Short mmCIF file of all heavy atoms in Angstrom, two decimals:
data_model
loop_
_atom_site.label_atom_id
_atom_site.label_comp_id
_atom_site.label_asym_id
_atom_site.label_seq_id
_atom_site.Cartn_x
_atom_site.Cartn_y
_atom_site.Cartn_z
N MET R 16 1.04 14.14 -18.25
CA MET R 16 0.34 13.57 -17.13
C MET R 16 1.29 12.66 -16.36
O MET R 16 1.99 11.86 -16.96
CB MET R 16 -0.88 12.77 -17.61
CG MET R 16 -1.61 12.07 -16.50
SD MET R 16 -2.92 10.92 -17.00
CE MET R 16 -3.68 11.68 -18.38
N ARG R 17 1.29 12.78 -15.04
CA ARG R 17 2.09 11.90 -14.20
C ARG R 17 1.18 10.94 -13.46
O ARG R 17 0.11 11.33 -12.99
CB ARG R 17 2.91 12.72 -13.22
CG ARG R 17 4.00 13.51 -13.95
CD ARG R 17 4.74 14.46 -13.08
NE ARG R 17 5.24 13.84 -11.87
CZ ARG R 17 5.94 14.46 -10.96
NH1 ARG R 17 6.23 15.73 -11.13
NH2 ARG R 17 6.34 13.84 -9.88
N LEU R 18 1.58 9.68 -13.40
CA LEU R 18 0.79 8.65 -12.74
C LEU R 18 1.43 8.23 -11.44
O LEU R 18 2.66 8.13 -11.34
CB LEU R 18 0.67 7.42 -13.63
CG LEU R 18 -0.04 7.56 -14.97
CD1 LEU R 18 -0.01 6.24 -15.71
CD2 LEU R 18 -1.46 8.02 -14.77
N THR R 19 0.59 7.97 -10.45
CA THR R 19 1.02 7.36 -9.20
C THR R 19 0.31 6.03 -9.08
O THR R 19 -0.92 5.98 -9.12
CB THR R 19 0.66 8.26 -8.00
OG1 THR R 19 1.29 9.52 -8.15
CG2 THR R 19 1.09 7.62 -6.70
N PHE R 20 1.07 4.96 -8.96
CA PHE R 20 0.52 3.63 -8.78
C PHE R 20 -0.22 3.59 -7.44
O PHE R 20 0.31 3.99 -6.42
CB PHE R 20 1.65 2.60 -8.81
CG PHE R 20 1.22 1.22 -8.43
CD1 PHE R 20 0.66 0.38 -9.36
CD2 PHE R 20 1.38 0.78 -7.13
CE1 PHE R 20 0.28 -0.91 -9.01
CE2 PHE R 20 1.00 -0.51 -6.77
CZ PHE R 20 0.44 -1.35 -7.72
N ILE R 21 -1.46 3.11 -7.45
CA ILE R 21 -2.25 2.97 -6.23
C ILE R 21 -2.35 1.51 -5.82
O ILE R 21 -2.13 1.15 -4.69
CB ILE R 21 -3.66 3.58 -6.40
CG1 ILE R 21 -3.57 5.07 -6.72
CG2 ILE R 21 -4.52 3.33 -5.17
CD1 ILE R 21 -2.90 5.91 -5.64
N GLY R 22 -2.69 0.64 -6.76
CA GLY R 22 -2.80 -0.78 -6.42
C GLY R 22 -3.09 -1.64 -7.62
O GLY R 22 -3.66 -1.19 -8.60
N GLU R 23 -2.68 -2.89 -7.49
CA GLU R 23 -2.89 -3.88 -8.55
C GLU R 23 -3.79 -4.97 -8.01
O GLU R 23 -3.72 -5.32 -6.82
CB GLU R 23 -1.54 -4.45 -8.96
CG GLU R 23 -1.62 -5.38 -10.15
CD GLU R 23 -0.23 -5.79 -10.60
OE1 GLU R 23 0.38 -6.63 -9.89
OE2 GLU R 23 0.23 -5.28 -11.62
N ASP R 24 -4.61 -5.53 -8.85
CA ASP R 24 -5.54 -6.58 -8.47
C ASP R 24 -4.79 -7.73 -7.79
O ASP R 24 -3.98 -8.40 -8.43
CB ASP R 24 -6.26 -7.07 -9.71
CG ASP R 24 -7.28 -8.16 -9.44
OD1 ASP R 24 -7.39 -8.62 -8.28
OD2 ASP R 24 -7.98 -8.55 -10.38
N PRO R 25 -5.04 -7.96 -6.50
CA PRO R 25 -4.32 -9.01 -5.79
C PRO R 25 -4.72 -10.41 -6.23
O PRO R 25 -4.03 -11.38 -5.91
CB PRO R 25 -4.70 -8.77 -4.32
CG PRO R 25 -5.98 -8.03 -4.36
CD PRO R 25 -5.96 -7.23 -5.63
N GLY R 26 -5.81 -10.53 -6.97
CA GLY R 26 -6.26 -11.86 -7.39
C GLY R 26 -6.04 -12.16 -8.85
O GLY R 26 -6.58 -13.11 -9.38
N SER R 27 -5.24 -11.37 -9.52
CA SER R 27 -5.02 -11.56 -10.94
C SER R 27 -3.56 -11.93 -11.21
O SER R 27 -2.71 -11.85 -10.32
CB SER R 27 -5.38 -10.28 -11.69
OG SER R 27 -5.43 -10.51 -13.07
N ASN R 28 -3.29 -12.29 -12.45
CA ASN R 28 -1.92 -12.66 -12.80
C ASN R 28 -1.03 -11.42 -12.85
O ASN R 28 -1.51 -10.31 -12.97
CB ASN R 28 -1.89 -13.44 -14.12
CG ASN R 28 -2.25 -12.59 -15.31
OD1 ASN R 28 -1.71 -11.51 -15.50
ND2 ASN R 28 -3.16 -13.07 -16.14
N PRO R 29 0.29 -11.60 -12.79
CA PRO R 29 1.19 -10.44 -12.75
C PRO R 29 1.29 -9.67 -14.07
O PRO R 29 1.78 -8.55 -14.09
CB PRO R 29 2.54 -11.03 -12.36
CG PRO R 29 2.44 -12.49 -12.67
CD PRO R 29 0.99 -12.85 -12.61
N ASN R 30 0.84 -10.22 -15.15
CA ASN R 30 0.92 -9.52 -16.45
C ASN R 30 -0.46 -9.07 -16.88
O ASN R 30 -1.33 -9.88 -17.14
CB ASN R 30 1.51 -10.45 -17.53
CG ASN R 30 2.92 -10.84 -17.21
OD1 ASN R 30 3.69 -10.04 -16.71
ND2 ASN R 30 3.27 -12.09 -17.46
N GLY R 31 -0.67 -7.76 -16.96
CA GLY R 31 -1.94 -7.23 -17.43
C GLY R 31 -3.03 -7.21 -16.38
O GLY R 31 -4.19 -7.15 -16.70
N SER R 32 -2.64 -7.27 -15.11
CA SER R 32 -3.65 -7.24 -14.05
C SER R 32 -4.39 -5.92 -14.04
O SER R 32 -3.80 -4.89 -14.35
CB SER R 32 -2.96 -7.41 -12.69
OG SER R 32 -2.33 -8.65 -12.61
N PRO R 33 -5.68 -5.91 -13.64
CA PRO R 33 -6.32 -4.62 -13.43
C PRO R 33 -5.52 -3.80 -12.42
O PRO R 33 -5.04 -4.34 -11.43
CB PRO R 33 -7.70 -4.99 -12.89
CG PRO R 33 -7.97 -6.32 -13.51
CD PRO R 33 -6.62 -7.01 -13.47
N THR R 34 -5.38 -2.51 -12.69
CA THR R 34 -4.54 -1.64 -11.88
C THR R 34 -5.21 -0.27 -11.75
O THR R 34 -5.89 0.18 -12.66
CB THR R 34 -3.15 -1.48 -12.52
OG1 THR R 34 -2.61 -2.79 -12.75
CG2 THR R 34 -2.19 -0.71 -11.65
N VAL R 35 -5.00 0.39 -10.60
CA VAL R 35 -5.54 1.72 -10.36
C VAL R 35 -4.37 2.69 -10.21
O VAL R 35 -3.40 2.41 -9.50
CB VAL R 35 -6.41 1.75 -9.09
CG1 VAL R 35 -6.87 3.16 -8.78
CG2 VAL R 35 -7.59 0.82 -9.23
N TYR R 36 -4.47 3.84 -10.88
CA TYR R 36 -3.47 4.91 -10.81
C TYR R 36 -4.17 6.21 -10.47
O TYR R 36 -5.31 6.44 -10.85
CB TYR R 36 -2.76 5.10 -12.15
CG TYR R 36 -2.01 3.91 -12.65
CD1 TYR R 36 -2.62 2.97 -13.48
CD2 TYR R 36 -0.67 3.72 -12.32
CE1 TYR R 36 -1.92 1.88 -13.96
CE2 TYR R 36 0.04 2.63 -12.80
CZ TYR R 36 -0.59 1.71 -13.62
OH TYR R 36 0.09 0.62 -14.09
N ARG R 37 -3.46 7.10 -9.81
CA ARG R 37 -3.91 8.47 -9.57
C ARG R 37 -3.07 9.38 -10.45
O ARG R 37 -1.87 9.15 -10.63
CB ARG R 37 -3.70 8.83 -8.08
CG ARG R 37 -4.18 10.19 -7.70
CD ARG R 37 -5.69 10.22 -7.61
NE ARG R 37 -6.12 11.52 -7.07
CZ ARG R 37 -7.17 12.17 -7.49
NH1 ARG R 37 -7.94 11.67 -8.43
NH2 ARG R 37 -7.50 13.32 -6.96
N THR R 38 -3.69 10.41 -11.04
CA THR R 38 -2.95 11.32 -11.90
C THR R 38 -2.68 12.64 -11.17
O THR R 38 -3.27 12.91 -10.12
CB THR R 38 -3.71 11.65 -13.20
OG1 THR R 38 -4.76 12.57 -12.89
CG2 THR R 38 -4.27 10.40 -13.86
N ASP R 39 -1.84 13.43 -11.75
CA ASP R 39 -1.59 14.78 -11.21
C ASP R 39 -2.61 15.78 -11.74
O ASP R 39 -2.46 16.98 -11.57
CB ASP R 39 -0.16 15.23 -11.53
CG ASP R 39 0.12 15.35 -13.01
OD1 ASP R 39 -0.68 14.85 -13.84
OD2 ASP R 39 1.15 15.94 -13.36
N ARG R 40 -3.67 15.27 -12.38
CA ARG R 40 -4.74 16.12 -12.91
C ARG R 40 -6.05 15.91 -12.16
O ARG R 40 -7.13 16.13 -12.71
CB ARG R 40 -4.94 15.83 -14.40
CG ARG R 40 -3.70 16.08 -15.21
CD ARG R 40 -3.84 15.98 -16.69
NE ARG R 40 -4.80 15.01 -17.20
CZ ARG R 40 -4.92 14.71 -18.49
NH1 ARG R 40 -4.13 15.28 -19.38
NH2 ARG R 40 -5.80 13.84 -18.88
N ASP R 41 -5.94 15.44 -10.91
CA ASP R 41 -7.14 15.17 -10.09
C ASP R 41 -8.08 14.18 -10.77
O ASP R 41 -9.30 14.40 -10.83
CB ASP R 41 -7.89 16.47 -9.75
CG ASP R 41 -7.07 17.40 -8.89
OD1 ASP R 41 -6.29 16.89 -8.05
OD2 ASP R 41 -7.20 18.62 -9.03
N SER R 42 -7.50 13.11 -11.28
CA SER R 42 -8.30 12.07 -11.92
C SER R 42 -7.68 10.70 -11.65
O SER R 42 -6.60 10.60 -11.06
CB SER R 42 -8.42 12.33 -13.43
OG SER R 42 -7.14 12.25 -14.04
N TRP R 43 -8.38 9.68 -12.08
CA TRP R 43 -7.96 8.30 -11.89
C TRP R 43 -7.81 7.62 -13.25
O TRP R 43 -8.57 7.91 -14.16
CB TRP R 43 -9.00 7.52 -11.08
CG TRP R 43 -9.21 8.07 -9.72
CD1 TRP R 43 -10.10 9.04 -9.37
CD2 TRP R 43 -8.52 7.72 -8.53
NE1 TRP R 43 -10.00 9.31 -8.02
CE2 TRP R 43 -9.04 8.50 -7.49
CE3 TRP R 43 -7.51 6.80 -8.25
CZ2 TRP R 43 -8.58 8.38 -6.18
CZ3 TRP R 43 -7.07 6.69 -6.94
CH2 TRP R 43 -7.60 7.48 -5.93
N ILE R 44 -6.86 6.71 -13.36
CA ILE R 44 -6.74 5.84 -14.52
C ILE R 44 -6.96 4.43 -14.02
O ILE R 44 -6.32 4.00 -13.05
CB ILE R 44 -5.34 5.94 -15.17
CG1 ILE R 44 -5.03 7.38 -15.61
CG2 ILE R 44 -5.20 4.95 -16.32
CD1 ILE R 44 -5.85 7.86 -16.79
N VAL R 45 -7.87 3.72 -14.64
CA VAL R 45 -8.15 2.34 -14.26
C VAL R 45 -7.85 1.44 -15.45
O VAL R 45 -8.42 1.59 -16.52
CB VAL R 45 -9.63 2.17 -13.83
CG1 VAL R 45 -9.92 0.73 -13.47
CG2 VAL R 45 -9.96 3.10 -12.68
N GLN R 46 -6.91 0.54 -15.24
CA GLN R 46 -6.61 -0.48 -16.24
C GLN R 46 -7.49 -1.67 -15.91
O GLN R 46 -7.53 -2.12 -14.77
CB GLN R 46 -5.14 -0.88 -16.14
CG GLN R 46 -4.77 -2.06 -17.02
CD GLN R 46 -3.34 -2.53 -16.73
OE1 GLN R 46 -2.52 -1.78 -16.26
NE2 GLN R 46 -3.09 -3.78 -17.01
N GLY R 47 -8.23 -2.16 -16.88
CA GLY R 47 -9.13 -3.28 -16.62
C GLY R 47 -9.41 -4.06 -17.89
O GLY R 47 -8.76 -3.87 -18.91
N TRP R 48 -10.38 -4.92 -17.79
CA TRP R 48 -10.76 -5.75 -18.94
C TRP R 48 -11.67 -4.95 -19.86
O TRP R 48 -12.64 -4.33 -19.42
CB TRP R 48 -11.47 -7.00 -18.47
CG TRP R 48 -10.62 -7.82 -17.53
CD1 TRP R 48 -9.42 -8.43 -17.82
CD2 TRP R 48 -10.87 -8.09 -16.16
NE1 TRP R 48 -8.93 -9.06 -16.71
CE2 TRP R 48 -9.80 -8.87 -15.66
CE3 TRP R 48 -11.89 -7.75 -15.28
CZ2 TRP R 48 -9.73 -9.32 -14.36
CZ3 TRP R 48 -11.83 -8.19 -13.97
CH2 TRP R 48 -10.76 -8.96 -13.53
N VAL R 49 -11.40 -4.97 -21.14
CA VAL R 49 -12.21 -4.25 -22.12
C VAL R 49 -13.61 -4.86 -22.14
O VAL R 49 -13.78 -6.08 -22.19
CB VAL R 49 -11.58 -4.35 -23.53
CG1 VAL R 49 -12.48 -3.70 -24.57
CG2 VAL R 49 -10.21 -3.71 -23.54
N VAL R 50 -14.61 -4.01 -22.08
CA VAL R 50 -16.00 -4.45 -22.15
C VAL R 50 -16.37 -4.56 -23.62
O VAL R 50 -16.35 -3.57 -24.35
CB VAL R 50 -16.94 -3.46 -21.42
CG1 VAL R 50 -18.39 -3.88 -21.57
CG2 VAL R 50 -16.54 -3.35 -19.96
N THR R 51 -16.69 -5.77 -24.06
CA THR R 51 -17.03 -5.99 -25.46
C THR R 51 -18.43 -6.58 -25.65
O THR R 51 -18.88 -6.73 -26.77
CB THR R 51 -16.01 -6.94 -26.12
OG1 THR R 51 -16.00 -8.19 -25.41
CG2 THR R 51 -14.61 -6.35 -26.13
N ASP R 52 -19.11 -6.89 -24.57
CA ASP R 52 -20.44 -7.50 -24.64
C ASP R 52 -21.41 -6.50 -25.27
O ASP R 52 -21.70 -5.44 -24.71
CB ASP R 52 -20.89 -7.86 -23.22
CG ASP R 52 -22.23 -8.56 -23.18
OD1 ASP R 52 -23.15 -8.19 -23.95
OD2 ASP R 52 -22.38 -9.49 -22.36
N PRO R 53 -21.93 -6.81 -26.46
CA PRO R 53 -22.81 -5.87 -27.17
C PRO R 53 -24.05 -5.50 -26.37
O PRO R 53 -24.52 -4.37 -26.44
CB PRO R 53 -23.19 -6.61 -28.45
CG PRO R 53 -22.20 -7.70 -28.61
CD PRO R 53 -21.70 -8.03 -27.24
N GLU R 54 -24.59 -6.43 -25.60
CA GLU R 54 -25.79 -6.15 -24.80
C GLU R 54 -25.48 -5.13 -23.71
O GLU R 54 -26.26 -4.20 -23.47
CB GLU R 54 -26.32 -7.44 -24.18
CG GLU R 54 -27.65 -7.27 -23.49
CD GLU R 54 -28.21 -8.59 -23.02
OE1 GLU R 54 -27.96 -9.63 -23.64
OE2 GLU R 54 -28.92 -8.56 -21.99
N VAL R 55 -24.34 -5.27 -23.06
CA VAL R 55 -23.93 -4.31 -22.03
C VAL R 55 -23.69 -2.94 -22.67
O VAL R 55 -24.17 -1.92 -22.17
CB VAL R 55 -22.66 -4.80 -21.30
CG1 VAL R 55 -22.09 -3.72 -20.40
CG2 VAL R 55 -22.96 -6.06 -20.50
N LEU R 56 -22.94 -2.91 -23.75
CA LEU R 56 -22.61 -1.65 -24.41
C LEU R 56 -23.86 -0.94 -24.93
O LEU R 56 -23.90 0.29 -24.97
CB LEU R 56 -21.60 -1.88 -25.53
CG LEU R 56 -20.22 -2.34 -25.06
CD1 LEU R 56 -19.37 -2.76 -26.25
CD2 LEU R 56 -19.54 -1.27 -24.23
N ALA R 57 -24.89 -1.71 -25.31
CA ALA R 57 -26.13 -1.12 -25.82
C ALA R 57 -26.85 -0.33 -24.73
O ALA R 57 -27.62 0.59 -25.03
CB ALA R 57 -27.04 -2.21 -26.37
N HIS R 58 -26.60 -0.63 -23.47
CA HIS R 58 -27.24 0.07 -22.35
C HIS R 58 -26.45 1.30 -21.91
O HIS R 58 -26.86 2.02 -21.01
CB HIS R 58 -27.40 -0.87 -21.16
CG HIS R 58 -28.41 -1.94 -21.39
ND1 HIS R 58 -29.76 -1.72 -21.36
CD2 HIS R 58 -28.26 -3.25 -21.69
CE1 HIS R 58 -30.40 -2.84 -21.62
NE2 HIS R 58 -29.51 -3.78 -21.81
N MET R 59 -25.33 1.54 -22.56
CA MET R 59 -24.47 2.66 -22.17
C MET R 59 -24.42 3.68 -23.30
O MET R 59 -24.55 3.33 -24.47
CB MET R 59 -23.07 2.15 -21.86
CG MET R 59 -23.04 1.11 -20.75
SD MET R 59 -21.41 0.42 -20.49
CE MET R 59 -20.63 1.77 -19.65
N ASN R 60 -24.22 4.92 -22.95
CA ASN R 60 -24.09 5.97 -23.95
C ASN R 60 -22.65 6.48 -23.87
O ASN R 60 -22.37 7.48 -23.22
CB ASN R 60 -25.09 7.09 -23.67
CG ASN R 60 -25.04 8.17 -24.72
OD1 ASN R 60 -24.53 7.96 -25.82
ND2 ASN R 60 -25.54 9.34 -24.40
N ILE R 61 -21.74 5.78 -24.52
CA ILE R 61 -20.32 6.10 -24.45
C ILE R 61 -19.95 7.00 -25.62
O ILE R 61 -20.00 6.57 -26.77
CB ILE R 61 -19.46 4.82 -24.46
CG1 ILE R 61 -19.88 3.92 -23.29
CG2 ILE R 61 -17.98 5.17 -24.38
CD1 ILE R 61 -19.24 2.56 -23.32
N PRO R 62 -19.59 8.24 -25.35
CA PRO R 62 -19.23 9.17 -26.42
C PRO R 62 -17.93 8.75 -27.13
O PRO R 62 -17.10 8.04 -26.54
CB PRO R 62 -19.02 10.50 -25.70
CG PRO R 62 -19.61 10.34 -24.36
CD PRO R 62 -19.56 8.89 -24.04
N GLN R 63 -17.77 9.22 -28.34
CA GLN R 63 -16.53 8.98 -29.07
C GLN R 63 -15.36 9.53 -28.26
O GLN R 63 -15.45 10.59 -27.65
CB GLN R 63 -16.60 9.66 -30.44
CG GLN R 63 -15.41 9.33 -31.30
CD GLN R 63 -15.56 9.89 -32.71
OE1 GLN R 63 -16.50 10.59 -33.03
NE2 GLN R 63 -14.61 9.57 -33.55
N GLY R 64 -14.29 8.78 -28.22
CA GLY R 64 -13.11 9.19 -27.47
C GLY R 64 -13.11 8.67 -26.04
O GLY R 64 -12.17 8.92 -25.30
N GLU R 65 -14.17 7.98 -25.63
CA GLU R 65 -14.24 7.38 -24.31
C GLU R 65 -14.43 5.88 -24.44
O GLU R 65 -14.79 5.38 -25.50
CB GLU R 65 -15.39 7.97 -23.49
CG GLU R 65 -15.22 9.44 -23.18
CD GLU R 65 -16.33 9.98 -22.29
OE1 GLU R 65 -17.12 9.17 -21.74
OE2 GLU R 65 -16.41 11.20 -22.15
N THR R 66 -14.17 5.18 -23.36
CA THR R 66 -14.37 3.73 -23.34
C THR R 66 -14.75 3.33 -21.93
O THR R 66 -14.80 4.17 -21.02
CB THR R 66 -13.10 2.99 -23.81
OG1 THR R 66 -13.42 1.61 -24.00
CG2 THR R 66 -11.97 3.11 -22.81
N CYS R 67 -15.00 2.08 -21.71
CA CYS R 67 -15.24 1.59 -20.36
C CYS R 67 -14.42 0.32 -20.17
O CYS R 67 -14.12 -0.39 -21.12
CB CYS R 67 -16.72 1.34 -20.10
SG CYS R 67 -17.46 0.08 -21.14
N VAL R 68 -14.01 0.10 -18.94
CA VAL R 68 -13.30 -1.12 -18.58
C VAL R 68 -13.98 -1.71 -17.37
O VAL R 68 -14.65 -1.01 -16.59
CB VAL R 68 -11.80 -0.88 -18.28
CG1 VAL R 68 -11.08 -0.38 -19.51
CG2 VAL R 68 -11.60 0.05 -17.11
N GLU R 69 -13.83 -3.01 -17.21
CA GLU R 69 -14.40 -3.71 -16.06
C GLU R 69 -13.29 -4.07 -15.09
O GLU R 69 -12.21 -4.50 -15.51
CB GLU R 69 -15.10 -4.97 -16.55
CG GLU R 69 -15.74 -5.78 -15.46
CD GLU R 69 -16.43 -7.04 -15.97
OE1 GLU R 69 -16.33 -7.32 -17.19
OE2 GLU R 69 -17.03 -7.73 -15.15
N ILE R 70 -13.55 -3.86 -13.81
CA ILE R 70 -12.61 -4.27 -12.77
C ILE R 70 -13.39 -5.10 -11.74
O ILE R 70 -14.59 -4.91 -11.58
CB ILE R 70 -11.91 -3.07 -12.09
CG1 ILE R 70 -12.91 -2.16 -11.40
CG2 ILE R 70 -11.08 -2.29 -13.11
CD1 ILE R 70 -12.29 -1.10 -10.53
N PRO R 71 -12.73 -6.01 -11.04
CA PRO R 71 -13.42 -6.83 -10.05
C PRO R 71 -13.68 -6.06 -8.75
O PRO R 71 -12.97 -5.09 -8.44
CB PRO R 71 -12.47 -8.00 -9.82
CG PRO R 71 -11.12 -7.45 -10.11
CD PRO R 71 -11.32 -6.43 -11.20
N ASP R 72 -14.66 -6.52 -7.98
CA ASP R 72 -14.97 -5.90 -6.69
C ASP R 72 -13.74 -5.79 -5.80
O ASP R 72 -13.60 -4.84 -5.04
CB ASP R 72 -16.03 -6.71 -5.94
CG ASP R 72 -17.43 -6.45 -6.45
OD1 ASP R 72 -17.65 -5.43 -7.13
OD2 ASP R 72 -18.31 -7.27 -6.14
N ARG R 73 -12.84 -6.74 -5.88
CA ARG R 73 -11.66 -6.73 -4.99
C ARG R 73 -10.75 -5.53 -5.23
O ARG R 73 -9.88 -5.25 -4.43
CB ARG R 73 -10.90 -8.04 -5.09
CG ARG R 73 -10.34 -8.34 -6.46
CD ARG R 73 -9.69 -9.73 -6.51
NE ARG R 73 -9.32 -10.06 -7.87
CZ ARG R 73 -10.03 -10.83 -8.68
NH1 ARG R 73 -11.14 -11.40 -8.25
NH2 ARG R 73 -9.63 -11.05 -9.91
N MET R 74 -10.97 -4.78 -6.31
CA MET R 74 -10.16 -3.59 -6.59
C MET R 74 -10.67 -2.34 -5.85
O MET R 74 -9.95 -1.36 -5.71
CB MET R 74 -10.15 -3.29 -8.09
CG MET R 74 -9.45 -4.35 -8.94
SD MET R 74 -7.70 -4.41 -8.63
CE MET R 74 -7.18 -2.84 -9.26
N ILE R 75 -11.91 -2.37 -5.36
CA ILE R 75 -12.49 -1.21 -4.69
C ILE R 75 -11.66 -0.78 -3.50
O ILE R 75 -11.58 0.40 -3.17
CB ILE R 75 -13.95 -1.50 -4.28
CG1 ILE R 75 -14.80 -1.78 -5.52
CG2 ILE R 75 -14.54 -0.36 -3.46
CD1 ILE R 75 -14.80 -0.68 -6.57
N GLN R 76 -10.97 -1.72 -2.86
CA GLN R 76 -10.13 -1.37 -1.71
C GLN R 76 -9.12 -0.28 -2.04
O GLN R 76 -8.75 0.50 -1.17
CB GLN R 76 -9.39 -2.61 -1.22
CG GLN R 76 -8.38 -3.14 -2.25
CD GLN R 76 -7.62 -4.36 -1.77
OE1 GLN R 76 -7.13 -4.36 -0.65
NE2 GLN R 76 -7.55 -5.38 -2.61
N PHE R 77 -8.68 -0.19 -3.27
CA PHE R 77 -7.67 0.79 -3.63
C PHE R 77 -8.24 2.20 -3.73
O PHE R 77 -7.51 3.18 -3.71
CB PHE R 77 -6.96 0.39 -4.93
CG PHE R 77 -6.22 -0.91 -4.78
CD1 PHE R 77 -6.63 -2.03 -5.47
CD2 PHE R 77 -5.16 -1.02 -3.90
CE1 PHE R 77 -5.96 -3.23 -5.32
CE2 PHE R 77 -4.49 -2.22 -3.74
CZ PHE R 77 -4.89 -3.33 -4.44
N PHE R 78 -9.55 2.32 -3.83
CA PHE R 78 -10.19 3.64 -3.82
C PHE R 78 -10.43 4.12 -2.40
O PHE R 78 -10.83 5.25 -2.19
CB PHE R 78 -11.51 3.60 -4.59
CG PHE R 78 -11.31 3.50 -6.07
CD1 PHE R 78 -11.47 2.29 -6.72
CD2 PHE R 78 -10.94 4.60 -6.81
CE1 PHE R 78 -11.28 2.18 -8.09
CE2 PHE R 78 -10.75 4.51 -8.18
CZ PHE R 78 -10.92 3.30 -8.82
N ARG R 79 -10.20 3.28 -1.42
CA ARG R 79 -10.42 3.63 -0.01
C ARG R 79 -9.13 3.57 0.79
O ARG R 79 -9.14 3.68 1.99
CB ARG R 79 -11.38 2.62 0.62
CG ARG R 79 -12.73 2.62 0.01
CD ARG R 79 -13.61 1.65 0.79
NE ARG R 79 -14.80 1.38 0.02
CZ ARG R 79 -15.30 0.17 -0.17
NH1 ARG R 79 -14.75 -0.87 0.36
NH2 ARG R 79 -16.39 0.02 -0.86
N LYS R 80 -8.03 3.39 0.16
CA LYS R 80 -6.79 3.06 0.84
C LYS R 80 -6.07 4.28 1.41
O LYS R 80 -5.43 5.02 0.69
CB LYS R 80 -5.86 2.32 -0.13
CG LYS R 80 -4.69 1.67 0.54
CD LYS R 80 -3.98 0.78 -0.44
CE LYS R 80 -2.93 -0.02 0.27
NZ LYS R 80 -2.41 -1.06 -0.55
N GLY R 81 -6.18 4.47 2.72
CA GLY R 81 -5.43 5.46 3.49
C GLY R 81 -4.87 6.65 2.74
O GLY R 81 -5.58 7.35 2.06
N ASP R 82 -3.57 6.88 2.88
CA ASP R 82 -2.96 8.08 2.32
C ASP R 82 -2.70 7.98 0.83
O ASP R 82 -2.24 8.92 0.22
CB ASP R 82 -1.64 8.41 3.05
CG ASP R 82 -0.60 7.33 2.91
OD1 ASP R 82 -0.94 6.22 2.48
OD2 ASP R 82 0.57 7.61 3.22
N ARG R 83 -2.99 6.84 0.21
CA ARG R 83 -2.76 6.71 -1.22
C ARG R 83 -4.07 6.65 -2.00
O ARG R 83 -4.06 6.67 -3.22
CB ARG R 83 -1.95 5.46 -1.52
CG ARG R 83 -0.53 5.61 -1.03
CD ARG R 83 0.27 4.38 -1.27
NE ARG R 83 0.19 3.93 -2.63
CZ ARG R 83 0.68 2.78 -3.05
NH1 ARG R 83 1.27 1.98 -2.22
NH2 ARG R 83 0.57 2.42 -4.31
N GLY R 84 -5.19 6.55 -1.33
CA GLY R 84 -6.45 6.39 -2.02
C GLY R 84 -7.35 7.60 -1.92
O GLY R 84 -6.94 8.66 -1.42
N ILE R 85 -8.55 7.46 -2.33
CA ILE R 85 -9.49 8.57 -2.44
C ILE R 85 -9.84 9.18 -1.09
O ILE R 85 -10.13 10.36 -1.01
CB ILE R 85 -10.76 8.11 -3.20
CG1 ILE R 85 -11.54 9.32 -3.69
CG2 ILE R 85 -11.61 7.21 -2.37
CD1 ILE R 85 -12.59 8.97 -4.70
N ASP R 86 -9.81 8.41 -0.01
CA ASP R 86 -10.17 8.95 1.29
C ASP R 86 -9.24 10.06 1.76
O ASP R 86 -9.60 10.86 2.60
CB ASP R 86 -10.19 7.85 2.35
CG ASP R 86 -11.38 6.92 2.20
OD1 ASP R 86 -12.35 7.32 1.51
OD2 ASP R 86 -11.36 5.82 2.75
N SER R 87 -8.04 10.13 1.22
CA SER R 87 -7.08 11.14 1.67
C SER R 87 -7.17 12.43 0.84
O SER R 87 -6.43 13.36 1.11
CB SER R 87 -5.67 10.58 1.62
OG SER R 87 -5.30 10.34 0.27
N LEU R 88 -8.01 12.47 -0.16
CA LEU R 88 -8.07 13.65 -1.03
C LEU R 88 -8.87 14.76 -0.40
O LEU R 88 -9.73 14.59 0.36
CB LEU R 88 -8.66 13.27 -2.38
CG LEU R 88 -7.86 12.22 -3.13
CD1 LEU R 88 -8.57 11.88 -4.43
CD2 LEU R 88 -6.47 12.70 -3.39
#
């Protein structure tokens, strides 16, 4: 799998910031904060081999970003 960097959270620290990548498999990789809240996880049906991450609203801009984001697909 090849990754293309799309954007990094402009409001986070430079190490471990939430980040959005596009793959060469017509998919997205989102680096974010691990969701560990048992109450939240209880409302989700996450199959084995999958997980969820949380990203801030300010990251949505990277899914709309011109020739590098989802609008250009």
Side-chain angles (χ1 to χ4, degrees):
M16 176 188 322
R17 291 173 50 179
L18 297 178
T19 300
F20 171 84
I21 299 299
E23 186 174 75
D24 181 355
S27 192
N28 68 50
N30 297 321
S32 297
T34 306
V35 176
Y36 299 91
R37 183 74 173 142
T38 76
D39 62 347
R40 300 187 327 188
D41 296 327
S42 63
W43 299 89
I44 302 290
V45 179
Q46 173 188 335
W48 302 297
V49 176
V50 177
T51 59
D52 183 321
E54 188 174 329
V55 170
L56 294 171
H58 291 284
M59 302 175 75
N60 183 19
I61 303 172
Q63 186 174 4
E65 295 184 11
T66 190
C67 63
V68 297
E69 181 180 4
I70 62 170
D72 281 342
R73 62 185 172 261
M74 294 293 293
I75 298 304
Q76 66 179 313
F77 298 113
F78 288 102
R79 297 184 194 134
K80 192 170 188 169
D82 62 346
R83 290 178 52 188
I85 197 166
D86 287 343
S87 66
L88 299 178

